[in-house]
């Protein structure tokens, strides 16, 4: 096992098959998308970031935990003939989970895009506003630090050229 | 381009196939259909050993999946052989 040069950033989707996440590298942001069995990487260097935009939108996510809860609720519902109180409460849990998911999607859904000179790169793992704010909180100092020295020094006025005397 | 394809430089790599996760899936999912467990176990061991030196995920640096896949695979093959022996001895009586 070697030391991991990346630190996980807030947000990320751990779906049943699909996976998205973002990682903070030393000098770049690594966006990982793909499935459980195949990963695709996009790198955005901090010095190239021009802007980061967060757009409020509806975003449904479905992590594997939601699937398990809904599946369990479905199995419980079709195998039981009578529902005791505890059973009803247990059955309410997946329904509440789905309800919360829909509420989060409508009230707190967002899309985060990193703008660079060559194009915009969406960070697919960031889907909630609280993830976006924590993401920016982590990344902003690194971007500021990387771009501190990228501003060229002010150009000095060249010395006046003396006209040759005739 | 050679760096991208050959994976010689991790800063140029655009994608990776996670053979450890594939091996683990091959070991676990056939368990749900009992009759495929032996085949899945053998496939899991094959994938885990053949791709042992292939790099895994760029961001996940631990390799317990490979070991778990081999462990499951050996267990499944052992169970499969045991079931066949039991069946043969019962039919022989």
């Amino acid at each position: 096992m070697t030391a991991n040069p990346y630190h996980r950033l807030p947000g990320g989707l751990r779906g049943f098959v699909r996976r998205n996440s973002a990682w903070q590298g030393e000098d770049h942001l690594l966006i990982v998308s793909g499935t459980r069995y195949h990963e695709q990487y996009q790198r955005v260097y901090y010095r190239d970031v021009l802007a980061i935009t967060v757009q409020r939108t509806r975003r449904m996510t479905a992590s594997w935990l939601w699937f398990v809860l809904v599946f369990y609720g479905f199995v419980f519902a079709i195998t039981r003939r009578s529902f005791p109180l505890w059973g009803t409460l247990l059955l309410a849990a997946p329904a509440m989970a789905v309800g919360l998911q829909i509420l989060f999607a409508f009230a707190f859904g967002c899309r985060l895009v990193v703008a660079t000179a060559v194009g915009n790169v969406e960070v697919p793992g960031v889907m909630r506003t609280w993830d976006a704010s924590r993401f920016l909180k982590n990344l902003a100092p690194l971007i500021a630090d990387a771009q501190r020295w990228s501003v060229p020094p002010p150009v000095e006025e060249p010395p006046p050229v003396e006209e040759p005397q005739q | 381009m050679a760096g991208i394809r050959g994976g010689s430089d991790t800063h140029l790599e655009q994608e990776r196939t996670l053979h450890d996760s594939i091996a683990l899936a091959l070991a676990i999912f056939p368990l749900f259909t009992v009759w495929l467990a032996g085949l899945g176990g053998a496939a899991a061991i094959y994938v885990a050993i053949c791709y042992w030196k292939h790099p895994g995920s760029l961001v996940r640096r631990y390799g317990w999946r490979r070991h778990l896949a081999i462990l499951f695979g050996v267990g499944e093959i052992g169970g499969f052989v045991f079931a066949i022996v039991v069946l043969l001895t019962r039919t022989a009586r």
Side-chain angles (χ1 to χ4, degrees):
Chain A
M1 194 176 102
T2 53
N4 192 348
Y6 295 105
H7 299 285
R8 195 186 182 98
L9 284 165
L13 169 70
R14 295 174 71 84
F16 204 69
V17 176
R18 290 211 69 80
R19 298 259 166 134
N20 294 320
S21 58
W23 299 74
Q24 168 194 321
E26 193 183 348
D27 59 348
H28 64 274
L29 164 71
L30 182 74
I31 300 164
V32 182
S33 55
T35 64
R36 279 176 186 270
Y37 312 110
H38 190 82
E39 287 182 343
Q40 288 166 326
Y41 306 114
Q42 278 181 295
R43 292 170 185 80
V44 180
Y45 285 84
Y46 300 140
R47 62 174 182 269
D48 297 333
V49 175
L50 296 178
I52 297 179
T53 57
V54 180
Q55 178 193 2
R56 292 287 294 271
T57 181
R58 295 169 197 155
R59 292 197 75 182
M60 283 295 285
T61 65
S63 79
W64 63 270
L65 191 63
W66 299 112
F67 279 112
V68 169
L69 275 173
V70 171
F71 177 74
Y72 141 79
F74 178 72
V75 169
F76 188 82
I78 61 170
T79 53
R80 286 269 168 174
R81 299 232 171 163
S82 62
F83 288 98
L85 180 63
W86 62 269
T88 311
L89 288 175
L90 279 176
L91 191 58
M96 280 175 64
V98 172
L100 273 178
Q101 192 68 305
I102 293 169
L103 175 73
F104 286 168
F106 276 77
F108 305 107
C110 74
R111 189 181 301 279
L112 190 141
V113 176
V114 181
T116 69
V118 289
N120 295 343
V121 183
E122 188 185 341
V123 184
V126 179
M127 286 182 264
R128 300 285 175 257
T129 47
W130 55 77
D131 283 335
S133 62
R134 285 194 299 146
F135 186 93
L136 292 174
K137 202 174 175 181
N138 278 330
L139 219 57
L142 294 169
I143 294 170
D145 197 43
Q147 297 189 355
R148 185 171 297 160
W149 308 111
S150 62
V151 179
V155 180
E156 291 180 11
E157 286 289 322
V161 179
E162 292 181 4
E163 292 287 327
Q165 292 180 351
Q166 292 179 350
Chain B
M1 202 64 183
I4 295 172
R5 285 185 180 153
S8 57
D9 188 354
T10 54
H11 281 273
L12 294 174
E13 279 187 89
Q14 291 179 329
E15 56 186 355
R16 274 190 185 180
T17 301
L18 311 178
H19 294 102
D20 53 347
S21 297
I22 293 172
L24 191 59
L26 280 170
I28 288 176
F29 288 128
L31 281 175
F32 294 108
T33 64
V34 179
W35 56 89
L36 276 176
L39 196 66
I45 292 173
Y46 175 79
V47 171
I49 291 174
C50 279
Y51 295 98
W52 188 268
K53 289 197 173 178
H54 281 234
S57 170
L58 202 60
V59 289
R60 281 192 283 112
R61 292 300 177 103
Y62 33 84
W64 58 269
R65 283 181 173 81
R66 283 192 184 98
H67 299 96
L68 197 64
I70 291 174
L71 199 71
F72 268 101
V74 169
E76 284 166 18
I77 290 172
F80 189 69
V81 171
F82 179 74
I84 287 176
V85 169
V86 168
L87 279 175
L88 286 177
T89 49
R90 278 190 182 175
T91 48
R93 280 178 192 171

